[in-house]
Coordinates of all heavy atoms in Angstrom, one line a residue:
M1 N 53.0 55.7 -60.9 CA 52.6 55.3 -59.6 C 52.5 53.8 -59.4 O 51.9 53.1 -60.2 CB 51.2 55.9 -59.4 CG 50.7 55.8 -58.0 SD 49.0 56.3 -58.1 CE 48.8 57.3 -56.8
T2 N 53.2 53.3 -58.4 CA 53.2 51.9 -58.2 C 52.3 51.5 -57.1 O 52.0 52.3 -56.1 CB 54.6 51.5 -57.8 OG1 55.0 52.1 -56.6 CG2 55.6 51.8 -58.9
T3 N 51.7 50.3 -57.2 CA 50.8 49.9 -56.2 C 51.6 49.0 -55.2 O 52.5 48.3 -55.6 CB 49.7 49.0 -56.8 OG1 50.2 47.9 -57.5 CG2 48.8 49.8 -57.7
P4 N 51.2 49.1 -53.9 CA 51.9 48.3 -52.9 C 51.6 46.8 -53.2 O 50.5 46.4 -53.5 CB 51.4 48.8 -51.6 CG 50.2 49.5 -51.9 CD 50.2 49.9 -53.3
R5 N 52.7 46.0 -52.9 CA 52.5 44.6 -53.1 C 51.9 44.0 -51.9 O 52.2 44.4 -50.8 CB 53.9 43.9 -53.3 CG 54.5 44.3 -54.6 CD 55.9 43.8 -54.7 NE 56.0 42.9 -55.8 CZ 57.1 42.2 -56.0 NH1 58.1 42.3 -55.2 NH2 57.2 41.5 -57.1
K6 N 51.0 43.0 -52.1 CA 50.5 42.3 -51.0 C 51.4 41.2 -50.6 O 51.8 40.4 -51.5 CB 49.1 41.7 -51.4 CG 48.0 42.8 -51.6 CD 46.7 42.1 -51.8 CE 45.6 43.1 -52.0 NZ 44.3 42.5 -52.3
T7 N 51.7 41.1 -49.4 CA 52.6 40.0 -48.9 C 51.8 38.9 -48.4 O 50.8 39.1 -47.6 CB 53.6 40.5 -47.9 OG1 52.9 41.0 -46.8 CG2 54.5 41.5 -48.5
K8 N 52.1 37.7 -48.7 CA 51.4 36.5 -48.2 C 52.2 36.0 -47.0 O 53.4 35.9 -47.0 CB 51.3 35.5 -49.3 CG 50.2 35.8 -50.3 CD 50.0 34.6 -51.2 CE 48.8 34.8 -52.1 NZ 48.5 33.6 -52.8
A9 N 51.4 35.5 -46.0 CA 52.1 34.9 -44.9 C 52.5 33.5 -45.3 O 51.8 32.8 -46.1 CB 51.1 34.8 -43.7
P10 N 53.6 33.0 -44.8 CA 54.0 31.6 -45.1 C 52.9 30.6 -44.7 O 52.1 30.9 -43.8 CB 55.3 31.4 -44.3 CG 55.7 32.8 -43.9 CD 54.5 33.7 -43.9
A11 N 52.9 29.5 -45.4 CA 51.9 28.5 -45.1 C 51.9 28.0 -43.7 O 50.8 27.8 -43.1 CB 52.0 27.3 -46.1
S12 N 53.1 27.9 -43.1 CA 53.1 27.4 -41.7 C 52.5 28.4 -40.7 O 51.8 28.0 -39.8 CB 54.6 27.1 -41.3 OG 55.4 28.3 -41.4
T13 N 52.8 29.7 -40.9 CA 52.2 30.7 -40.1 C 50.7 30.7 -40.2 O 49.9 30.8 -39.2 CB 52.8 32.1 -40.4 OG1 54.2 32.0 -40.3 CG2 52.3 33.1 -39.4
E14 N 50.2 30.6 -41.4 CA 48.8 30.5 -41.7 C 48.1 29.3 -41.0 O 47.1 29.4 -40.5 CB 48.5 30.5 -43.2 CG 47.1 30.8 -43.6 CD 47.0 30.9 -45.1 OE1 47.7 31.8 -45.7 OE2 46.3 30.2 -45.7
G15 N 48.8 28.2 -41.1 CA 48.3 26.9 -40.5 C 48.2 27.0 -39.0 O 47.2 26.6 -38.4
I16 N 49.2 27.7 -38.4 CA 49.2 27.9 -37.0 C 48.1 28.8 -36.5 O 47.4 28.5 -35.5 CB 50.6 28.4 -36.5 CG1 51.6 27.3 -36.6 CG2 50.5 28.8 -35.0 CD1 53.0 27.8 -36.4
A17 N 47.9 29.8 -37.3 CA 46.8 30.7 -37.0 C 45.4 30.1 -37.1 O 44.5 30.4 -36.3 CB 46.8 32.0 -37.9
K18 N 45.3 29.2 -38.0 CA 44.0 28.5 -38.2 C 43.8 27.4 -37.1 O 42.7 27.1 -36.8 CB 43.9 27.8 -39.5 CG 43.7 28.8 -40.6 CD 43.6 28.1 -42.0 CE 43.3 29.1 -43.1 NZ 43.2 28.5 -44.4
N19 N 44.9 26.8 -36.6 CA 44.7 25.6 -35.7 C 45.8 25.8 -34.6 O 46.7 25.0 -34.6 CB 44.8 24.3 -36.4 CG 44.4 23.2 -35.6 OD1 43.9 23.3 -34.5 ND2 44.5 22.0 -36.2
P20 N 45.5 26.6 -33.6 CA 46.5 26.8 -32.5 C 46.6 25.6 -31.6 O 47.6 25.4 -31.0 CB 46.1 28.0 -31.8 CG 44.6 28.1 -32.1 CD 44.4 27.6 -33.5
L21 N 45.5 24.8 -31.5 CA 45.6 23.6 -30.7 C 46.6 22.6 -31.2 O 47.2 21.9 -30.4 CB 44.2 23.0 -30.5 CG 43.2 23.8 -29.8 CD1 41.8 23.1 -29.7 CD2 43.7 24.1 -28.4
A22 N 46.8 22.5 -32.5 CA 47.8 21.6 -33.0 C 49.2 22.0 -32.5 O 50.0 21.1 -32.2 CB 47.7 21.6 -34.5
L23 N 49.4 23.3 -32.5 CA 50.7 23.8 -32.0 C 50.9 23.4 -30.5 O 52.0 22.9 -30.1 CB 50.8 25.3 -32.1 CG 52.1 25.9 -31.6 CD1 53.3 25.5 -32.5 CD2 52.0 27.5 -31.7
V24 N 49.9 23.5 -29.7 CA 49.9 23.2 -28.3 C 50.2 21.7 -28.2 O 51.0 21.2 -27.4 CB 48.7 23.6 -27.5 CG1 48.6 23.1 -26.1 CG2 48.6 25.1 -27.5
A25 N 49.4 20.9 -28.9 CA 49.6 19.4 -28.9 C 51.0 19.0 -29.3 O 51.6 18.1 -28.7 CB 48.6 18.7 -29.7
G26 N 51.5 19.6 -30.3 CA 52.9 19.3 -30.7 C 53.9 19.7 -29.7 O 54.9 19.0 -29.4
G27 N 53.7 20.8 -29.0 CA 54.6 21.3 -27.9 C 54.6 20.3 -26.8 O 55.6 20.0 -26.2
V28 N 53.4 19.8 -26.4 CA 53.2 18.8 -25.3 C 54.0 17.6 -25.7 O 54.7 17.0 -24.9 CB 51.8 18.6 -25.0 CG1 51.6 17.4 -24.1 CG2 51.2 19.9 -24.3
A29 N 53.7 17.1 -26.9 CA 54.4 15.8 -27.4 C 55.9 16.0 -27.4 O 56.6 15.1 -26.9 CB 53.9 15.5 -28.8
L30 N 56.4 17.1 -27.9 CA 57.8 17.4 -27.9 C 58.4 17.4 -26.4 O 59.4 16.8 -26.2 CB 58.1 18.7 -28.6 CG 59.6 19.0 -28.7 CD1 60.3 18.0 -29.6 CD2 59.8 20.4 -29.4
G31 N 57.7 18.1 -25.5 CA 58.1 18.1 -24.1 C 58.1 16.8 -23.5 O 59.0 16.5 -22.7
A32 N 57.2 15.9 -23.8 CA 57.1 14.6 -23.3 C 58.3 13.7 -23.8 O 58.9 13.0 -23.0 CB 55.8 13.9 -23.6
V33 N 58.6 13.9 -25.0 CA 59.8 13.2 -25.6 C 61.1 13.6 -24.9 O 61.9 12.8 -24.5 CB 59.9 13.3 -27.1 CG1 61.2 12.8 -27.7 CG2 58.7 12.6 -27.8
I34 N 61.3 14.9 -24.8 CA 62.5 15.5 -24.2 C 62.6 15.1 -22.7 O 63.6 14.7 -22.2 CB 62.5 17.0 -24.3 CG1 62.7 17.4 -25.8 CG2 63.6 17.6 -23.5 CD1 62.6 18.8 -26.1
G35 N 61.4 15.1 -22.0 CA 61.4 14.7 -20.6 C 61.7 13.2 -20.4 O 62.4 12.8 -19.5
A36 N 61.3 12.4 -21.4 CA 61.6 11.0 -21.3 C 63.1 10.7 -21.6 O 63.7 9.7 -21.0 CB 60.8 10.2 -22.3
L37 N 63.7 11.6 -22.4 CA 65.1 11.4 -22.7 C 66.1 11.9 -21.6 O 67.2 11.4 -21.5 CB 65.5 12.0 -24.0 CG 64.8 11.4 -25.3 CD1 65.1 12.2 -26.5 CD2 65.2 10.0 -25.5
I38 N 65.7 12.8 -20.8 CA 66.5 13.4 -19.8 C 66.5 12.4 -18.6 O 65.4 12.1 -18.1 CB 66.1 14.8 -19.4 CG1 66.2 15.7 -20.6 CG2 66.9 15.3 -18.2 CD1 65.6 17.1 -20.3
P39 N 67.7 12.0 -18.1 CA 67.7 11.1 -16.9 C 67.2 11.8 -15.7 O 67.5 13.0 -15.5 CB 69.1 10.7 -16.8 CG 69.9 11.7 -17.6 CD 69.0 12.3 -18.6
R40 N 66.5 11.1 -14.8 CA 66.0 11.7 -13.6 C 67.1 11.5 -12.5 O 67.6 10.4 -12.3 CB 64.7 11.0 -13.1 CG 63.6 11.3 -14.0 CD 62.2 11.0 -13.5 NE 62.2 9.6 -13.0 CZ 61.2 9.1 -12.3 NH1 60.2 9.8 -12.0 NH2 61.3 7.9 -11.9
P41 N 67.3 12.5 -11.7 CA 68.3 12.4 -10.6 C 67.7 11.5 -9.5 O 66.5 11.3 -9.4 CB 68.5 13.8 -10.1 CG 67.7 14.7 -10.9 CD 66.9 13.9 -11.9
Q42 N 68.6 10.9 -8.7 CA 68.2 10.0 -7.6 C 67.3 10.7 -6.6 O 66.4 10.2 -6.1 CB 69.4 9.4 -7.0 CG 69.1 8.3 -5.9 CD 68.3 7.1 -6.5 OE1 68.6 6.7 -7.7 NE2 67.4 6.6 -5.8
Q43 N 67.7 12.0 -6.4 CA 66.9 12.8 -5.4 C 65.5 13.0 -5.8 O 64.5 12.9 -5.1 CB 67.6 14.1 -5.2 CG 66.9 15.0 -4.1 CD 67.5 16.3 -3.9 OE1 68.5 16.7 -4.6 NE2 67.1 17.0 -2.9
E44 N 65.3 13.2 -7.1 CA 63.9 13.3 -7.7 C 63.2 12.0 -7.5 O 62.0 12.0 -7.1 CB 64.0 13.7 -9.1 CG 62.6 13.9 -9.8 CD 62.7 14.2 -11.3 OE1 63.8 14.5 -11.8 OE2 61.6 14.2 -11.9
K45 N 63.8 10.9 -7.8 CA 63.2 9.6 -7.6 C 62.8 9.4 -6.1 O 61.7 8.9 -5.9 CB 64.1 8.5 -8.1 CG 64.4 8.4 -9.5 CD 65.3 7.3 -9.9 CE 65.7 7.3 -11.4 NZ 66.7 6.4 -11.7
D46 N 63.7 9.7 -5.2 CA 63.4 9.5 -3.8 C 62.3 10.4 -3.3 O 61.4 10.0 -2.5 CB 64.7 9.8 -3.0 CG 65.8 8.8 -3.2 OD1 65.5 7.7 -3.7 OD2 67.0 9.2 -2.9
L47 N 62.2 11.6 -3.8 CA 61.1 12.5 -3.4 C 59.8 12.2 -4.0 O 58.7 12.3 -3.4 CB 61.5 14.0 -3.8 CG 62.6 14.6 -3.0 CD1 63.0 15.9 -3.5 CD2 62.3 14.7 -1.5
L48 N 59.8 11.7 -5.3 CA 58.5 11.5 -6.0 C 58.0 10.1 -5.9 O 56.8 9.9 -6.2 CB 58.6 11.9 -7.4 CG 58.9 13.4 -7.7 CD1 59.0 13.7 -9.2 CD2 57.8 14.2 -7.1
A49 N 58.8 9.1 -5.4 CA 58.3 7.8 -5.3 C 57.1 7.6 -4.4 O 56.1 7.0 -4.7 CB 59.4 6.8 -4.9
P50 N 57.1 8.2 -3.2 CA 55.9 8.1 -2.3 C 54.7 8.8 -2.9 O 53.6 8.3 -2.8 CB 56.3 8.8 -1.0 CG 57.8 8.9 -1.1 CD 58.2 8.9 -2.5
V51 N 54.9 9.9 -3.6 CA 53.7 10.5 -4.3 C 53.1 9.6 -5.3 O 51.9 9.5 -5.4 CB 54.2 11.9 -4.9 CG1 53.1 12.5 -5.6 CG2 54.7 12.8 -3.8
G52 N 54.0 9.0 -6.1 CA 53.5 8.1 -7.1 C 52.8 6.9 -6.6 O 51.7 6.5 -7.1
K53 N 53.3 6.4 -5.4 CA 52.6 5.3 -4.8 C 51.2 5.7 -4.3 O 50.2 4.9 -4.4 CB 53.4 4.7 -3.6 CG 54.6 3.9 -4.1 CD 55.4 3.4 -2.9 CE 56.6 2.6 -3.4 NZ 57.3 2.0 -2.2
R54 N 51.1 6.9 -3.7 CA 49.8 7.4 -3.2 C 48.9 7.6 -4.3 O 47.7 7.2 -4.2 CB 50.0 8.7 -2.4 CG 50.5 8.4 -1.0 CD 50.4 9.7 -0.2 NE 51.3 10.7 -0.9 CZ 51.7 11.8 -0.4 NH1 51.4 12.2 0.8 NH2 52.5 12.6 -1.1
I55 N 49.3 8.1 -5.4 CA 48.4 8.3 -6.6 C 47.9 7.0 -7.1 O 46.8 6.8 -7.4 CB 49.2 9.1 -7.7 CG1 49.4 10.6 -7.2 CG2 48.4 9.1 -9.0 CD1 50.2 11.4 -8.1
A56 N 48.8 6.0 -7.2 CA 48.5 4.7 -7.7 C 47.5 4.0 -6.8 O 46.5 3.4 -7.2 CB 49.7 3.8 -7.9
E57 N 47.7 4.1 -5.5 CA 46.8 3.5 -4.5 C 45.4 4.2 -4.5 O 44.4 3.6 -4.5 CB 47.4 3.6 -3.1 CG 48.6 2.7 -2.9 CD 49.3 2.9 -1.6 OE1 48.9 3.9 -0.8 OE2 50.2 2.2 -1.3
G58 N 45.4 5.5 -4.7 CA 44.2 6.3 -4.8 C 43.4 5.9 -6.0 O 42.2 5.8 -6.0
A59 N 44.1 5.8 -7.1 CA 43.4 5.4 -8.4 C 42.9 4.0 -8.3 O 41.8 3.7 -8.8 CB 44.4 5.5 -9.5
T60 N 43.6 3.1 -7.7 CA 43.1 1.7 -7.5 C 41.9 1.7 -6.6 O 40.9 1.0 -6.9 CB 44.2 0.8 -6.9 OG1 45.4 0.9 -7.7 CG2 43.8 -0.6 -6.7
A61 N 41.9 2.5 -5.5 CA 40.8 2.5 -4.6 C 39.6 3.1 -5.3 O 38.4 2.7 -5.2 CB 41.1 3.3 -3.4
A62 N 39.8 4.2 -6.1 CA 38.7 4.8 -6.8 C 38.1 3.9 -7.8 O 36.9 3.8 -8.0 CB 39.2 6.1 -7.5
A63 N 38.9 3.1 -8.5 CA 38.4 2.1 -9.5 C 37.6 1.0 -8.8 O 36.6 0.6 -9.3 CB 39.6 1.5 -10.3
A64 N 38.1 0.6 -7.7 CA 37.4 -0.5 -6.9 C 36.0 0.1 -6.4 O 35.0 -0.6 -6.5 CB 38.2 -1.0 -5.8
A65 N 36.0 1.3 -6.0 CA 34.8 1.9 -5.5 C 33.8 2.1 -6.6 O 32.6 1.8 -6.5 CB 35.1 3.2 -4.8
A66 N 34.3 2.5 -7.8 CA 33.4 2.7 -9.0 C 32.8 1.3 -9.4 O 31.7 1.2 -9.8 CB 34.2 3.3 -10.1
R67 N 33.7 0.3 -9.4 CA 33.2 -1.0 -9.7 C 32.1 -1.5 -8.8 O 31.1 -2.0 -9.2 CB 34.4 -2.0 -9.8 CG 34.0 -3.4 -10.2 CD 35.2 -4.3 -10.4 NE 36.0 -4.4 -9.1 CZ 37.2 -4.1 -9.0 NH1 37.9 -3.6 -10.0 NH2 37.8 -4.2 -7.9
E68 N 32.3 -1.3 -7.5 CA 31.3 -1.8 -6.5 C 30.0 -1.0 -6.7 O 29.0 -1.5 -6.5 CB 31.9 -1.6 -5.1 CG 33.0 -2.6 -4.8 CD 32.6 -4.1 -5.0 OE1 31.5 -4.4 -4.6 OE2 33.4 -4.8 -5.6
A69 N 30.2 0.3 -6.9 CA 29.0 1.1 -7.1 C 28.2 0.7 -8.3 O 27.0 0.6 -8.3 CB 29.3 2.6 -7.2
G70 N 28.9 0.4 -9.4 CA 28.3 -0.1 -10.6 C 27.6 -1.4 -10.4 O 26.5 -1.6 -10.9
K71 N 28.2 -2.3 -9.6 CA 27.6 -3.6 -9.3 C 26.3 -3.4 -8.5 O 25.3 -4.1 -8.8 CB 28.6 -4.5 -8.6 CG 29.6 -5.1 -9.5 CD 30.5 -6.1 -8.6 CE 31.6 -6.7 -9.4 NZ 32.5 -7.5 -8.6
A72 N 26.4 -2.5 -7.5 CA 25.2 -2.3 -6.7 C 24.1 -1.7 -7.5 O 22.9 -2.0 -7.3 CB 25.6 -1.3 -5.6
E73 N 24.4 -0.8 -8.5 CA 23.4 -0.2 -9.3 C 22.8 -1.3 -10.2 O 21.5 -1.3 -10.4 CB 24.0 0.9 -10.2 CG 23.0 1.7 -10.9 CD 22.1 2.6 -10.1 OE1 22.6 3.0 -9.0 OE2 21.0 2.9 -10.5
I74 N 23.6 -2.1 -10.8 CA 23.0 -3.2 -11.6 C 22.2 -4.1 -10.8 O 21.1 -4.6 -11.2 CB 24.2 -4.0 -12.3 CG1 24.8 -3.1 -13.4 CG2 23.7 -5.3 -12.9 CD1 26.1 -3.6 -14.0
D75 N 22.6 -4.5 -9.6 CA 21.8 -5.4 -8.7 C 20.5 -4.7 -8.4 O 19.5 -5.4 -8.2 CB 22.6 -5.7 -7.5 CG 23.7 -6.7 -7.8 OD1 23.7 -7.3 -8.8 OD2 24.7 -6.8 -6.9
A76 N 20.5 -3.4 -8.2 CA 19.2 -2.7 -7.9 C 18.3 -2.7 -9.1 O 17.1 -2.7 -8.9 CB 19.5 -1.2 -7.5
I77 N 18.8 -2.7 -10.3 CA 18.0 -2.6 -11.5 C 17.5 -4.0 -11.9 O 16.3 -4.2 -12.3 CB 18.8 -2.1 -12.7 CG1 19.1 -0.6 -12.5 CG2 18.1 -2.3 -14.0 CD1 20.1 0.0 -13.5
L78 N 18.3 -5.1 -11.7 CA 17.9 -6.4 -12.1 C 16.6 -6.9 -11.4 O 15.8 -7.5 -12.1 CB 19.1 -7.4 -11.9 CG 20.2 -7.2 -12.9 CD1 21.3 -8.2 -12.7 CD2 19.7 -7.4 -14.4
P79 N 16.4 -6.8 -10.1 CA 15.2 -7.3 -9.6 C 14.0 -6.6 -10.2 O 13.0 -7.2 -10.4 CB 15.3 -7.0 -8.1 CG 16.8 -6.9 -7.8 CD 17.3 -6.4 -9.1
Q80 N 14.1 -5.3 -10.5 CA 13.0 -4.7 -11.1 C 12.7 -5.2 -12.5 O 11.5 -5.4 -12.9 CB 13.3 -3.2 -11.3 CG 13.3 -2.5 -9.9 CD 13.8 -1.0 -10.1 OE1 14.1 -0.6 -11.2 NE2 13.9 -0.3 -8.9
R81 N 13.7 -5.6 -13.2 CA 13.6 -6.2 -14.5 C 12.9 -7.5 -14.4 O 12.0 -7.9 -15.2 CB 14.9 -6.3 -15.3 CG 14.7 -6.7 -16.7 CD 15.9 -6.9 -17.6 NE 17.2 -6.5 -17.1 CZ 18.3 -6.8 -17.7 NH1 18.3 -7.7 -18.7 NH2 19.5 -6.4 -17.2
D82 N 13.4 -8.3 -13.4 CA 12.8 -9.7 -13.3 C 11.3 -9.6 -12.9 O 10.5 -10.3 -13.4 CB 13.6 -10.4 -12.2 CG 15.0 -10.8 -12.7 OD1 15.2 -10.8 -13.9 OD2 15.8 -11.1 -11.8
A83 N 11.0 -8.6 -12.0 CA 9.6 -8.4 -11.6 C 8.7 -8.0 -12.9 O 7.6 -8.4 -13.0 CB 9.5 -7.4 -10.5
A84 N 9.3 -7.2 -13.7 CA 8.6 -6.7 -14.9 C 8.4 -7.9 -15.8 O 7.3 -8.0 -16.4 CB 9.4 -5.6 -15.6
K85 N 9.4 -8.7 -16.0 CA 9.2 -9.9 -16.9 C 8.1 -10.8 -16.3 O 7.3 -11.4 -17.1 CB 10.6 -10.7 -16.9 CG 11.6 -10.1 -17.8 CD 12.8 -11.1 -17.9 CE 13.9 -10.5 -18.7 NZ 15.1 -11.4 -18.7
E86 N 8.1 -11.0 -15.0 CA 7.1 -11.9 -14.4 C 5.7 -11.3 -14.6 O 4.8 -12.0 -14.9 CB 7.4 -12.0 -12.9 CG 6.6 -13.0 -12.2 CD 7.0 -13.1 -10.7 OE1 8.2 -13.3 -10.5 OE2 6.1 -13.1 -9.9
Q87 N 5.6 -10.0 -14.5 CA 4.3 -9.3 -14.6 C 3.9 -9.4 -16.1 O 2.7 -9.7 -16.4 CB 4.4 -7.8 -14.2 CG 3.1 -7.1 -14.2 CD 2.2 -7.6 -13.1 OE1 2.6 -8.2 -12.1 NE2 0.9 -7.4 -13.3
I88 N 4.8 -9.3 -17.0 CA 4.4 -9.4 -18.5 C 4.0 -10.8 -18.8 O 3.1 -11.1 -19.5 CB 5.6 -8.9 -19.3 CG1 5.8 -7.4 -19.2 CG2 5.4 -9.4 -20.8 CD1 7.0 -6.9 -19.9
G89 N 4.7 -11.8 -18.2 CA 4.3 -13.2 -18.4 C 2.9 -13.5 -17.8 O 2.1 -14.2 -18.5
K90 N 2.6 -12.9 -16.7 CA 1.2 -13.0 -16.2 C 0.2 -12.4 -17.1 O -0.9 -13.0 -17.3 CB 1.1 -12.4 -14.8 CG 1.8 -13.2 -13.7 CD 1.7 -12.5 -12.4 CE 2.4 -13.2 -11.3 NZ 2.3 -12.5 -10.0
I91 N 0.5 -11.2 -17.6 CA -0.5 -10.6 -18.5 C -0.7 -11.4 -19.8 O -1.8 -11.6 -20.2 CB 0.0 -9.1 -18.9 CG1 0.0 -8.3 -17.6 CG2 -0.7 -8.5 -20.0 CD1 0.7 -6.9 -17.7
I92 N 0.4 -11.9 -20.4 CA 0.3 -12.7 -21.6 C -0.5 -14.0 -21.3 O -1.3 -14.4 -22.1 CB 1.7 -13.0 -22.2 CG1 2.3 -11.7 -22.7 CG2 1.6 -14.0 -23.3 CD1 3.7 -11.8 -23.2
G93 N -0.2 -14.6 -20.1 CA -0.9 -15.8 -19.8 C -2.4 -15.5 -19.6 O -3.2 -16.3 -20.0
S94 N -2.7 -14.4 -18.9 CA -4.1 -14.1 -18.7 C -4.8 -13.8 -20.1 O -5.9 -14.2 -20.3 CB -4.2 -12.8 -17.9 OG -3.7 -13.1 -16.6
A95 N -4.1 -13.1 -21.0 CA -4.7 -12.8 -22.3 C -4.9 -14.1 -23.1 O -5.9 -14.3 -23.7 CB -3.8 -11.9 -23.1
F96 N -3.9 -15.0 -23.0 CA -4.1 -16.3 -23.7 C -5.2 -17.1 -23.1 O -6.0 -17.7 -23.9 CB -2.8 -17.1 -23.5 CG -2.8 -18.5 -24.2 CD1 -2.7 -18.5 -25.6 CD2 -2.8 -19.6 -23.5 CE1 -2.8 -19.8 -26.2 CE2 -2.9 -20.9 -24.1 CZ -2.8 -20.9 -25.5
T97 N -5.4 -17.2 -21.8 CA -6.5 -17.9 -21.1 C -7.8 -17.2 -21.5 O -8.8 -18.0 -21.8 CB -6.3 -17.8 -19.6 OG1 -5.0 -18.4 -19.3 CG2 -7.4 -18.6 -18.9
A98 N -7.9 -15.9 -21.5 CA -9.1 -15.2 -21.9 C -9.5 -15.5 -23.4 O -10.6 -15.8 -23.7 CB -9.0 -13.7 -21.7
A99 N -8.5 -15.6 -24.3 CA -8.7 -15.9 -25.7 C -9.2 -17.3 -25.8 O -10.1 -17.6 -26.6 CB -7.5 -15.6 -26.5
K100 N -8.6 -18.2 -25.1 CA -9.0 -19.6 -25.2 C -10.4 -19.8 -24.6 O -11.2 -20.5 -25.2 CB -8.0 -20.4 -24.3 CG -8.1 -21.9 -24.5 CD -6.9 -22.7 -24.0 CE -7.1 -23.2 -22.6 NZ -6.0 -24.0 -22.1
D101 N -10.7 -19.1 -23.5 CA -12.1 -19.2 -23.0 C -13.1 -18.6 -23.9 O -14.2 -19.2 -24.1 CB -12.1 -18.5 -21.6 CG -11.4 -19.2 -20.5 OD1 -11.1 -20.4 -20.7 OD2 -11.1 -18.6 -19.5
A102 N -12.7 -17.5 -24.6 CA -13.7 -16.9 -25.5 C -13.9 -17.8 -26.7 O -15.0 -18.0 -27.2 CB -13.1 -15.6 -26.0
A103 N -12.8 -18.5 -27.2 CA -12.9 -19.4 -28.3 C -13.8 -20.6 -27.9 O -14.6 -21.1 -28.7 CB -11.6 -19.9 -28.8
S104 N -13.6 -21.1 -26.7 CA -14.4 -22.3 -26.3 C -15.9 -21.9 -26.1 O -16.8 -22.7 -26.4 CB -13.8 -23.0 -25.1 OG -13.9 -22.1 -24.0
T105 N -16.1 -20.7 -25.6 CA -17.5 -20.2 -25.4 C -18.2 -20.1 -26.8 O -19.4 -20.4 -26.9 CB -17.5 -18.9 -24.6 OG1 -16.8 -19.1 -23.4 CG2 -18.9 -18.4 -24.4
K106 N -17.5 -19.6 -27.8 CA -18.0 -19.4 -29.1 C -18.3 -20.7 -29.7 O -19.3 -20.9 -30.5 CB -17.0 -18.6 -29.9 CG -17.6 -18.1 -31.3 CD -16.6 -17.3 -32.0 CE -17.2 -16.8 -33.3 NZ -16.2 -16.0 -34.0
A107 N -17.4 -21.7 -29.5 CA -17.6 -23.0 -30.1 C -18.8 -23.7 -29.4 O -19.5 -24.5 -30.1 CB -16.4 -23.9 -29.8
D108 N -19.1 -23.5 -28.1 CA -20.2 -24.1 -27.5 C -21.5 -23.5 -27.9 O -22.6 -24.1 -27.9 CB -20.1 -23.9 -25.9 CG -19.0 -24.8 -25.4 OD1 -18.6 -25.7 -26.0 OD2 -18.5 -24.4 -24.3
A109 N -21.5 -22.3 -28.4 CA -22.8 -21.6 -28.8 C -23.3 -22.0 -30.1 O -23.1 -22.7 -30.9 CB -22.6 -20.1 -28.7

């Protein structure tokens, strides 16, 4: 009586089964390379040029809006920070004055 042999999957198949995202990433990279090597027809350029310009203009506008919103947020935070610094300075000054007055009162006694 013979025992059935266990067959092992090749290492590449086993690796793909363990990490399918690597296969997808490799396929995307290969597709990008092939796409870059294939020349684009003039009709494709004519049809997609306005779309590319609109996308670029939209991205530029979005970046400018984000930058302005960030500046406004920082400007809203900074006055609060300056007010807090001023308040802390007043508290430290008051504490210093109180300690000095207490020391001079103790010296007079």
Side-chain angles (χ1 to χ4, degrees):
M1 187 187 224
T2 61
T3 59
R5 294 174 120 182
K6 291 184 180 180
T7 59
K8 286 190 171 184
S12 60
T13 306
E14 193 174 301
I16 290 170
K18 287 183 180 178
N19 194 1
L21 291 179
L23 179 65
V24 171
V28 168
L30 182 62
V33 168
I34 291 171
L37 294 176
I38 296 174
R40 293 193 310 170
Q42 186 61 36
Q43 183 179 7
E44 181 182 353
K45 291 178 186 176
D46 294 341
L47 291 173
L48 294 180
V51 174
K53 284 182 182 180
R54 280 189 301 195
I55 290 172
E57 289 170 356
T60 302
R67 183 176 55 241
E68 292 303 317
K71 284 182 182 179
E73 189 68 28
I74 289 172
D75 290 342
I77 291 171
L78 286 179
Q80 294 172 0
R81 187 181 351 164
D82 291 340
K85 281 183 181 179
E86 188 175 312
Q87 189 68 22
I88 290 170
K90 287 180 184 178
I91 291 170
I92 291 173
S94 297
F96 181 71
T97 303
K100 192 164 98 176
D101 289 345
S104 66
T105 303
K106 188 176 183 181
D108 290 340

